[in-house]
Amino acid sequence: MKPRDALTVDLFDGFLVPVERAPKPGALDIGLAFRHVLVEQIKLSPLSRHQLSARMSELVGHEITKHQLDSWTAESREGWRFPAEYLPALEAALETNNVLAYLADLRGAKLYVGKEALVAQLGKLERMKDQLRRQEQALKKLLGEQE
């Protein structure tokens, strides 16, 4: 086994590879937990709920009220659910990707944004090059070109 270079060490030391999860029946009933994630992210924001709903309204092009936001996040409002189509606007207004990261984690995935996405793609390309190099060596060996 060849030693890893310094770049590879930086990329993967302490990195847990996400594994797709096979959920058990009922395991993805995340209504309450999802509301808690939304509430937590809203509390971390310097924006008031009025400001947040106004910013979301601006981003989606129609009105989202503070009352709607309150209803989507209140445990007592069982019949209300946060619409998935508003999630990009919520996260843009909150300047976070934590809600999407939470959802990705539920399925064993990892969310990469910006440079993280490029680093992940670069790592994927490196693995592909290694795999192609091994296939090339195996073919050359079969053809008697390499020992």
Side-chain angles (χ1 to χ4, degrees):
M1 183 173 172
K2 69 179 185 177
R4 296 190 315 183
D5 61 37
L7 178 62
T8 304
V9 172
D10 288 344
L11 287 175
F12 297 107
D13 273 0
F15 181 77
L16 296 176
V17 176
V19 177
E20 184 175 1
R21 296 186 183 111
K24 295 182 169 112
L28 293 178
D29 182 9
I30 64 163
L32 188 58
F34 186 66
R35 288 173 192 251
H36 288 181
V37 170
L38 294 174
V39 168
E40 176 184 309
Q41 293 306 305
I42 291 169
K43 283 182 180 177
L44 291 173
S45 173
L47 299 177
S48 70
R49 285 177 176 248
H50 282 290
Q51 292 170 316
L52 180 57
S53 59
R55 179 68 179 129
M56 288 176 65
S57 297
E58 178 184 322
L59 292 168
V60 298
H62 58 270
E63 187 177 19
I64 295 173
T65 67
K66 178 190 175 291
H67 173 73
Q68 287 173 297
L69 195 57
D70 290 344
S71 295
W72 294 328
T73 56
E75 287 184 35
S76 62
R77 301 300 301 259
E78 186 60 34
W80 285 71
R81 297 286 187 259
F82 186 87
E85 67 259 28
Y86 294 155
L87 186 55
L90 174 71
E91 287 204 321
L94 292 172
E95 297 182 3
T96 187
N97 294 302
N98 292 338
V99 181
L100 280 175
Y102 164 77
L103 293 172
D105 184 62
L106 287 172
R107 295 292 295 129
K110 178 128 175 77
L111 178 68
Y112 293 110
V113 179
K115 283 189 177 184
E116 283 183 330
L118 297 176
V119 170
Q121 183 64 25
L122 185 59
K124 180 179 179 181
L125 291 173
E126 290 295 328
R127 288 189 304 279
M128 290 169 68
K129 285 187 338 189
D130 288 344
Q131 186 178 28
L132 287 172
R133 195 172 8 266
R134 286 191 301 274
Q135 289 176 4
E136 179 185 28
Q137 290 171 349
L139 287 173
K140 285 182 177 181
K141 188 174 182 179
L142 287 173
L143 293 172
E145 293 180 21
Q146 197 176 44
E147 293 188 28

